[in-house]
Amino acid sequence: MNVVITQPMLFPWVGLLEQIMLADVLVNYADVQFSKGSFTNRVQIKEPTGTRWMTVPLEKFHLGARIDEVKPATNVDWRAQHLRMLEQAYEAAPYAGDMLALVRAVYEAEYANMGALALASMQAVCRYLDIPLDPKLRDSVELAVPGRNSDRVLAIVQKLQGDTYITGHGAKNYLAHAEFEQRGITVAYMNYAMRPYTQLHGAFTPFVSSLDLVANHGPAGKQYLSPQTLNWREFTHE
């Protein structure tokens, strides 16, 4: 059984969608420390002048606050700002209307914290592209597994009785791969396909929000997702 553990990301890039497609169980990992500069509250979009960050500003928070404790700002209308930014960037895209409707639907709700908003944005994109998500979604809080870093990830996979842990590239520097193997769990890293698709505004870049894929290709955008992995030894060259 494939287990994927991911922090919630705002309208995530295509690579995370590929990871979700491979998961039998997807753990929403929001009870961990929020990192400034993470993709929880920001994502890149493509404009005529290049890529630009679309960021949800946050209320003042203390260092060490968890993702599910940090709150979106209430003193600025970032929702309207984002919609204007997206309207201008994707005015010529064939499915701009679908993309804007998707974002509006997410932004119509109020969210207790940034993690809940980011998760809702992920769910909305997956629903649109017909990527099953909710049936396999679990929350790390509900799993009630203590610990931190590699030890906690391993304990979560064990609790879920997973035999394969699929992770993004950021885990390379902290994951204790051998410990997973000793417990009969294979570690696989995403081998992001980054398949080019027709985009507006110049040369293709894979690192923008999946909203870009929706705006340019609509429901057919799913055909550009090609999830695949590498064994950790092949990925780390060990």
Side-chain angles (χ1 to χ4, degrees):
M1 183 178 71
N2 294 340
V3 176
V4 170
I5 301 172
T6 182
Q7 297 179 12
M9 299 183 191
L10 183 70
F11 298 111
W13 79 299
V14 162
L16 183 61
L17 301 184
E18 292 180 332
Q19 205 166 334
I20 290 170
M21 290 172 73
L22 290 171
D24 295 308
V25 179
L26 180 81
V27 178
N28 178 47
Y29 206 44
D31 62 342
V32 293
Q33 184 174 331
F34 173 81
S35 299
K36 276 188 138 181
S38 73
F39 296 101
T40 298
N41 70 316
R42 64 179 197 151
V43 70
Q44 292 186 88
I45 65 167
K46 211 172 169 204
E47 296 186 320
T49 53
T51 55
R52 178 182 175 188
W53 288 103
M54 186 174 82
T55 304
V56 176
L58 303 172
E59 298 282 9
K60 189 175 180 182
F61 63 93
H62 62 85
L63 195 65
R66 301 186 337 186
I67 291 171
D68 57 7
E69 295 171 338
V70 175
K71 299 183 186 303
T74 55
N75 63 344
V76 58
D77 193 357
W78 49 267
R79 291 173 171 87
Q81 291 175 0
H82 288 188
L83 286 164
R84 279 197 302 272
M85 191 187 307
L86 291 166
E87 283 171 358
Q88 291 167 4
Y90 294 102
E91 183 181 14
Y95 292 91
D98 282 16
M99 180 271 292
L100 291 167
L102 186 158
V103 176
R104 285 192 191 99
V106 173
Y107 282 179
E108 279 170 0
E110 295 294 327
Y111 299 94
N113 57 70
M114 190 61 231
L117 167 56
L119 178 61
S121 78
M122 291 165 57
Q123 290 170 310
V125 172
C126 285
R127 276 194 301 272
Y128 181 85
L129 292 172
D130 193 26
I131 299 169
L133 174 87
D134 293 341
K136 58 190 177 187
L137 186 63
R138 301 288 298 274
D139 197 285
S140 55
V141 172
E142 294 170 5
L143 292 173
V145 174
R148 57 196 299 270
N149 298 337
S150 185
D151 291 341
R152 188 180 186 209
V153 170
L154 174 56
I156 288 173
V157 177
Q158 286 182 298
K159 181 162 187 174
L160 293 169
Q161 298 183 313
D163 53 29
T164 302
Y165 174 55
I166 299 174
T167 184
H169 294 181
K172 179 182 178 181
N173 298 321
Y174 74 86
L175 214 60
H177 304 94
E179 289 185 22
F180 281 73
E181 282 198 342
Q182 288 165 11
R183 287 158 179 79
I185 298 167
T186 299
V187 176
Y189 280 83
M190 288 300 297
N191 184 21
Y192 298 117
M194 296 189 280
R195 285 181 61 189
Y197 59 84
T198 304
Q199 272 180 346
L200 300 177
H201 315 315
F204 174 75
T205 173
F207 301 113
V208 291
S209 168
S210 51
L211 293 176
D212 184 273
L213 179 64
V214 170
N216 284 299
H217 293 277
K222 187 178 180 181
Q223 69 183 299
Y224 294 99
L225 304 179
S226 183
Q228 51 198 314
T229 62
L230 291 172
N231 181 273
W232 72 269
R233 282 192 170 83
E234 192 176 355
F235 180 77
T236 60
H237 304 295
E238 289 185 21

